[in-house]
Amino acid sequence: MMWTLVAGAIGMWAGVSDDPRLDWWREARFGLFIHWGLYAIPAGEWNGKPVEGTGEWIMHNAKIPVPEYEPLATRFNPTRFDARRWVELAKAAGMKYIVITSKHHDGFCLFDSKHTDYDIMDAAPFKRDVLKELAAECARQQIRLCFYHSILDWHHPDARGERFPKYAEYMHNQLRELLKNYGPIGVLWFDGEWIDEWNNELGRRTYELCRSLQPDIIVNNRVGKGRDGMSDARVTGGDFGTPEQEVPATGLPGQDWETCMTMNDTWGFKRADDHWKSAGEMIRMLVDIASKGGNFLLNVGPTAAGEIPQPSIERLEAMGAWLRRNGESIYGTKASVFGQLPFNGRCTVKGDRLFLHVFEWPADRTLALAGLRNKVRSVKLLADSRELRFEQVGSSVTIHLPDTPVDLVDTVIVVALDGAPEVISTTTGKAGP
Ligand code: FHN
């Protein structure tokens, strides 16, 4: 059966704005999320028993009172932490930015804050400013550094009830430290905005504070009151939507967005969590997300010793190997212009080229494009530039594929057109297998 690429409704790549602030971020497409803190010490166990839920929620899920949790700081001495190694790994994975937890819900700060002693310089034996070391390495290796900062804070005594305004001032003071002392920051990634004390007005003031300190900074939609992550950044404030652990079926039309995802089932390190996604699965997720116009923020949870788990390293290196061959079909691309693709794969677009991502090689080794107004100039395999035979009759193009794919996870075919792709907005082929 000939697979017909059905030209459905003309897809519009839906950027919420053409604000140049987001240019680097849209080009980047792929970033590293790092959840690291005191929770890596218990690593999913408390009093000898496993604790349900993600590693970084252990204080809440094991109902650990502050006086019992706080002393973990005196044991936080990640002597194997190596900022150079972490940044090299992110780059080897093909990632273009790093988002690290400056402070997660447990309130412990990975940076030297003058507004609390509950930080890595005062409360922990390590006495090194992790964010400072990462900032230096990111500058040296030219990758963007970004901060995750939790609005929710289980440690700070003012972070609830009527004393919350005092906590909001504390939080703003720490944001000033983060945005004045660590160089240019790409993204401020807020979280924990679902608490009753938070609202869109506080979110707006926080957004304005961040932009006043670093005008080019990008801020996610969780700065405002939008719990499901997919809330429209135009409503909650912020610059992009943040679906979590999922890829919305149609992306988030009309706004910029980024899916954040764990490699196993936890954000913070859990010794017992070995439920790892394969590198192939995550490569296809990256392609799926890019085909819908989104970014992929993929997480690692380093150990208490400061090491990124070996299964994470292996997956990051495999993803980087695929991107070294095929990155052109991801970085700086826009969403597919086609509706539902009838073959198991995706389409990304850049300028006058279509990138057809074929996940499952068609048994008859043909792909048929229908509804394409453009003239096809050439068809090649991206990985080795091998020319592929094709015929075009009007708006229908038939591509003849080699017997076997060059990449079992995703073989990318480049279709060069006589201009930006234009599709006829009617369904002209058999939809679906
Ligand atoms: O509660 C957090 C969770 O620990 C983790 O940080 C994720 C990552 O986006 N955000 C919240 C859950 O939605």
Side-chain angles (χ1 to χ4, degrees):
M1 171 195 289
M2 284 243 278
W3 292 113
T4 304
L5 204 56
V6 176
I10 293 182
M12 295 295 289
W13 183 71
V16 68
S17 77
D18 54 7
D19 186 332
R21 260 183 319 129
L22 281 87
D23 288 351
W24 73 264
W25 186 84
R26 291 174 181 144
E27 169 74 25
R29 284 284 171 256
F30 192 29
L32 180 66
F33 214 172
I34 303 176
H35 277 72
W36 196 36
L38 301 185
Y39 37 80
I41 297 171
E45 291 173 18
W46 194 254
N47 294 335
K49 294 195 188 71
V51 178
E52 285 302 302
T54 51
E56 73 289 351
W57 268 72
I58 193 164
M59 181 177 172
H60 176 275
N61 295 343
K63 298 181 174 51
I64 306 168
V66 168
E68 264 184 62
Y69 185 90
E70 216 174 42
L72 286 172
T74 62
R75 295 166 49 196
F76 194 62
N77 193 22
T79 52
R80 307 200 41 95
F81 167 67
D82 178 349
R84 174 193 291 254
R85 173 82 183 107
W86 285 16
V87 176
E88 282 171 349
L89 182 60
K91 291 188 72 172
M95 294 164 152
K96 304 296 182 184
Y97 58 105
I98 293 173
V99 181
I100 184 166
T101 49
S102 53
K103 182 196 76 155
H104 202 264
H105 308 335
D106 64 359
F108 182 73
C109 302
L110 282 186
F111 65 101
D112 184 14
S113 172
K114 297 291 171 274
H115 301 285
T116 181
D117 286 342
Y118 194 47
D119 70 28
I120 198 161
M121 297 300 282
D122 300 302
F126 195 52
K127 303 210 179 308
R128 282 165 49 186
D129 187 327
V130 162
L131 300 194
K132 191 75 88 176
E133 294 184 29
L134 269 177
E137 267 310 311
C138 286
R140 196 177 69 80
Q141 298 192 43
Q142 298 188 320
I143 184 171
R144 300 263 180 167
L145 178 62
C146 312
F147 294 144
Y148 163 115
H149 201 74
S150 177
I151 294 162
L152 164 60
D153 188 313
W154 293 322
H155 178 268
H156 197 289
D158 297 333
R160 58 199 57 73
E162 59 209 32
R163 295 167 58 169
F164 192 82
K166 206 161 166 345
Y167 167 75
E169 189 186 337
Y170 164 80
M171 189 182 112
H172 282 178
N173 284 332
Q174 288 202 322
L175 289 173
R176 290 185 180 93
E177 292 180 310
L178 289 169
L179 296 182
K180 286 181 179 175
N181 303 341
Y182 297 89
I185 300 304
V187 177
L188 220 299
W189 211 101
F190 287 100
D191 200 11
E193 80 295 341
W194 59 82
I195 56 174
D196 294 341
E197 293 85 354
W198 198 252
N199 56 52
N200 276 338
E201 173 52 23
L202 278 169
R204 190 186 56 73
R205 282 176 24 214
T206 303
Y207 180 86
E208 285 170 2
L209 170 66
C210 294
R211 292 290 308 280
S212 70
L213 293 163
Q214 294 212 17
D216 292 338
I217 199 164
I218 300 170
V219 181
N220 75 341
N221 66 335
R222 300 187 191 189
V223 68
K225 195 74 184 175
R227 182 52 213 118
D228 63 3
M230 298 224 269
S231 316
D232 193 324
R234 293 165 297 190
V235 173
T236 66
D239 299 302
F240 63 92
T242 52
E244 182 172 312
Q245 302 286 38
E246 61 169 319
V247 181
T250 57
L252 293 186
Q255 61 174 310
D256 289 290
W257 59 279
E258 170 196 76
T259 277
C260 57
M261 184 82 67
T262 55
M263 281 198 198
N264 47 11
D265 292 330
T266 181
W267 302 96
F269 179 65
K270 272 187 92 169
R271 197 167 294 107
D273 184 339
D274 57 4
H275 186 224
W276 299 99
K277 298 172 185 72
S278 71
E281 274 175 274
M282 297 189 290
I283 288 166
R284 289 188 177 182
M285 274 179 196
L286 173 63
V287 171
D288 181 32
I289 290 166
S291 76
K292 293 163 180 167
N295 280 22
F296 190 19
L297 185 64
L298 184 56
N299 184 74
V300 294
T303 66
E307 292 182 300
I308 292 172
Q310 189 55 31
S312 298
I313 292 173
E314 289 160 7
R315 284 152 179 79
L316 289 174
E317 287 175 342
M319 293 181 83
W322 184 87
L323 278 164
R324 275 190 292 283
R325 295 190 302 273
N326 301 284
E328 206 178 331
S329 69
I330 299 292
Y331 302 126
T333 58
K334 296 187 175 179
S336 173
V337 289
F338 295 100
Q340 183 67 31
L341 296 179
F343 69 90
N344 183 359
R346 297 295 184 270
C347 171
T348 52
V349 178
K350 184 156 45 179
D352 60 1
R353 284 173 298 162
L354 299 175
F355 296 98
L356 306 181
H357 298 263
V358 185
F359 294 167
E360 201 177 318
W361 211 239
D364 64 0
R365 295 191 295 286
T366 57
L367 275 186
L369 296 174
L372 197 60
R373 288 187 189 281
N374 303 79
K375 182 161 174 30
V376 173
R377 290 190 293 110
S378 70
V379 180
K380 293 180 183 173
L381 286 171
L382 179 59
D384 58 17
S385 301
R386 220 182 315 166
E387 294 267 358
L388 299 183
R389 197 163 48 86
F390 71 95
E391 295 94 32
Q392 178 166 16
V393 177
S395 66
S396 298
V397 182
T398 303
I399 297 168
H400 298 281
L401 303 175
D403 288 349
T404 54
V406 290
D407 191 308
L408 289 175
V409 170
D410 174 14
T411 292
V412 184
I413 294 160
V414 196
V415 180
L417 306 173
D418 60 357
E422 286 179 57
V423 292
I424 298 166
S425 61
T426 55
T427 303
T428 58
K430 256 199 246 96

Coordinates of all heavy atoms in Angstrom, one line a residue, residues 33 35 54 56-57 101 104-105 148 152 154 189 191-192 194 222 227 242 244 260 267-268 299, ligand 1:
F33 N 17.1 19.1 32.3 CA 16.5 19.4 33.6 C 17.3 18.7 34.7 O 17.6 17.5 34.5 CB 15.0 18.9 33.7 CG 14.1 19.8 34.4 CD1 12.7 19.5 34.4 CD2 14.4 20.8 35.2 CE1 11.7 20.2 35.1 CE2 13.5 21.6 35.9 CZ 12.2 21.3 35.8
H35 N 17.2 17.9 38.8 CA 16.6 18.0 40.1 C 17.6 17.5 41.1 O 18.0 16.3 41.1 CB 15.3 17.2 40.2 CG 14.1 17.9 39.7 ND1 13.9 18.2 38.4 CD2 13.1 18.4 40.4 CE1 12.7 18.8 38.2 NE2 12.2 19.0 39.4
T54 N 7.8 10.6 44.1 CA 9.1 11.0 43.5 C 10.1 11.3 44.6 O 9.6 11.8 45.7 CB 8.9 12.2 42.5 OG1 8.1 13.2 43.2 CG2 8.1 11.7 41.3
E56 N 12.1 13.7 45.2 CA 12.2 15.1 45.8 C 11.0 15.5 46.6 O 11.0 16.5 47.3 CB 12.4 16.1 44.6 CG 11.2 16.4 43.8 CD 10.7 15.2 42.9 OE1 11.4 14.2 42.7 OE2 9.6 15.4 42.3
W57 N 10.0 14.6 46.7 CA 8.8 14.8 47.5 C 8.9 14.0 48.9 O 7.9 14.0 49.6 CB 7.6 14.4 46.8 CG 7.0 15.6 46.0 CD1 7.5 16.2 44.9 CD2 5.8 16.3 46.4 NE1 6.7 17.2 44.5 CE2 5.6 17.3 45.4 CE3 4.8 16.2 47.4 CZ2 4.6 18.2 45.4 CZ3 3.8 17.1 47.5 CH2 3.6 18.1 46.5
T101 N 17.6 23.1 39.7 CA 16.8 23.5 40.9 C 17.7 24.4 41.7 O 18.6 23.9 42.5 CB 16.3 22.3 41.7 OG1 17.5 21.4 41.8 CG2 15.2 21.5 40.9
H104 N 14.2 23.7 45.6 CA 13.0 22.9 45.3 C 12.0 23.1 46.5 O 12.3 24.0 47.4 CB 13.3 21.4 45.1 CG 12.2 20.7 44.3 ND1 11.3 20.0 45.0 CD2 12.0 20.7 43.0 CE1 10.4 19.5 44.0 NE2 10.8 19.9 42.9
H105 N 11.0 22.3 46.6 CA 10.0 22.6 47.6 C 10.5 22.5 49.0 O 9.9 23.0 50.0 CB 8.8 21.6 47.5 CG 8.2 21.5 46.1 ND1 8.2 22.5 45.2 CD2 7.6 20.4 45.5 CE1 7.6 22.1 44.1 NE2 7.2 20.8 44.2
Y148 N 15.4 26.6 38.0 CA 14.1 26.2 38.5 C 14.0 26.8 39.9 O 15.0 26.7 40.6 CB 14.0 24.7 38.5 CG 12.9 24.1 39.3 CD1 11.9 23.4 38.8 CD2 12.9 24.3 40.7 CE1 10.9 22.8 39.5 CE2 11.9 23.7 41.5 CZ 10.9 23.0 40.9 OH 9.9 22.5 41.7
L152 N 6.5 27.1 46.2 CA 6.1 26.3 47.4 C 7.4 26.1 48.2 O 8.5 25.8 47.6 CB 5.5 25.0 46.9 CG 5.4 23.8 47.8 CD1 4.6 24.2 49.0 CD2 4.9 22.6 47.1
W154 N 8.4 24.2 51.9 CA 8.0 23.4 53.1 C 8.8 23.8 54.3 O 8.5 23.4 55.4 CB 8.1 21.9 52.9 CG 7.2 21.4 51.8 CD1 5.9 21.7 51.6 CD2 7.6 20.3 50.9 NE1 5.4 20.9 50.5 CE2 6.4 20.1 50.1 CE3 8.7 19.6 50.6 CZ2 6.4 19.1 49.1 CZ3 8.7 18.6 49.6 CH2 7.6 18.4 48.9
W189 N 12.4 29.1 35.7 CA 11.4 28.1 35.6 C 10.7 27.9 36.9 O 11.2 27.3 37.8 CB 12.1 26.8 35.2 CG 11.3 25.8 34.3 CD1 11.5 25.6 33.0 CD2 10.3 24.9 34.8 NE1 10.6 24.6 32.6 CE2 9.9 24.2 33.6 CE3 9.8 24.6 36.0 CZ2 9.0 23.1 33.7 CZ3 8.8 23.6 36.1 CH2 8.4 22.9 34.9
D191 N 7.8 26.9 39.8 CA 7.0 25.7 40.0 C 6.4 25.9 41.4 O 6.7 26.8 42.1 CB 7.9 24.5 40.0 CG 7.2 23.2 39.8 OD1 6.0 23.2 39.5 OD2 7.8 22.1 40.0
G192 N 5.4 25.0 41.7 CA 4.8 25.1 43.1 C 3.8 26.2 43.2 O 3.5 26.7 44.3
W194 N 0.8 26.2 42.7 CA -0.6 25.7 42.9 C -1.1 26.0 44.4 O -2.2 25.9 44.7 CB -0.7 24.2 42.7 CG 0.2 23.4 43.5 CD1 0.0 23.0 44.8 CD2 1.5 22.9 43.1 NE1 1.1 22.3 45.2 CE2 2.0 22.2 44.2 CE3 2.2 22.9 41.9 CZ2 3.3 21.6 44.1 CZ3 3.4 22.3 41.8 CH2 4.0 21.6 42.9
R222 N 4.3 28.9 34.9 CA 4.0 28.6 36.3 C 4.3 29.7 37.2 O 4.2 29.6 38.4 CB 4.7 27.3 36.7 CG 4.3 26.1 35.9 CD 4.8 24.8 36.4 NE 4.6 23.7 35.4 CZ 4.8 22.4 35.6 NH1 5.2 22.0 36.8 NH2 4.6 21.5 34.7
R227 N -2.2 25.6 37.2 CA -1.7 24.4 37.8 C -1.3 23.3 36.7 O -0.4 22.6 36.9 CB -2.6 23.8 38.8 CG -2.1 22.6 39.5 CD -0.7 22.8 40.0 NE 0.2 21.6 39.9 CZ 1.3 21.5 39.1 NH1 1.7 22.6 38.4 NH2 2.0 20.5 39.1
T242 N 3.9 24.5 30.0 CA 4.8 23.5 30.5 C 4.1 22.2 30.8 O 4.0 21.8 32.0 CB 5.4 24.0 31.9 OG1 4.3 24.5 32.7 CG2 6.4 25.2 31.6
E244 N 3.7 18.5 31.5 CA 4.6 17.7 32.3 C 4.4 16.2 32.2 O 3.2 15.7 32.3 CB 4.4 18.1 33.8 CG 5.4 17.4 34.7 CD 5.3 18.0 36.1 OE1 5.3 19.2 36.2 OE2 5.2 17.2 37.1
C260 N 8.3 18.8 30.0 CA 9.3 18.3 30.8 C 9.0 16.8 31.2 O 7.9 16.4 31.4 CB 9.5 19.1 32.1 SG 8.0 19.3 33.1
W267 N 11.9 12.7 39.6 CA 12.7 13.8 39.3 C 14.0 13.9 40.1 O 15.1 13.9 39.6 CB 11.9 15.1 39.5 CG 10.6 15.2 38.7 CD1 9.4 14.8 39.1 CD2 10.5 15.6 37.3 NE1 8.5 15.0 38.1 CE2 9.1 15.5 37.0 CE3 11.4 16.1 36.4 CZ2 8.6 15.8 35.8 CZ3 10.9 16.4 35.1 CH2 9.5 16.3 34.8
G268 N 13.8 13.7 41.4 CA 15.0 13.6 42.3 C 15.4 12.2 42.5 O 14.6 11.3 42.4
N299 N 14.9 15.2 32.2 CA 15.5 15.3 33.5 C 16.5 14.3 33.9 O 16.4 13.1 33.5 CB 14.3 15.2 34.5 CG 14.8 15.4 36.0 OD1 15.1 16.5 36.4 ND2 14.9 14.3 36.7
Ligands
FHN1 O1 6.2 19.1 42.5 C1 7.0 19.3 41.4 C2 7.9 18.1 41.1 O2 8.6 17.8 42.3 C3 8.8 18.4 40.0 O3 9.7 19.5 40.3 C4 7.9 18.7 38.7 C5 8.8 19.0 37.6 O4 8.2 19.9 36.7 N1 7.1 19.8 39.0 C6 6.2 19.7 40.2 C7 5.1 18.7 39.9 O5 4.3 19.2 38.9

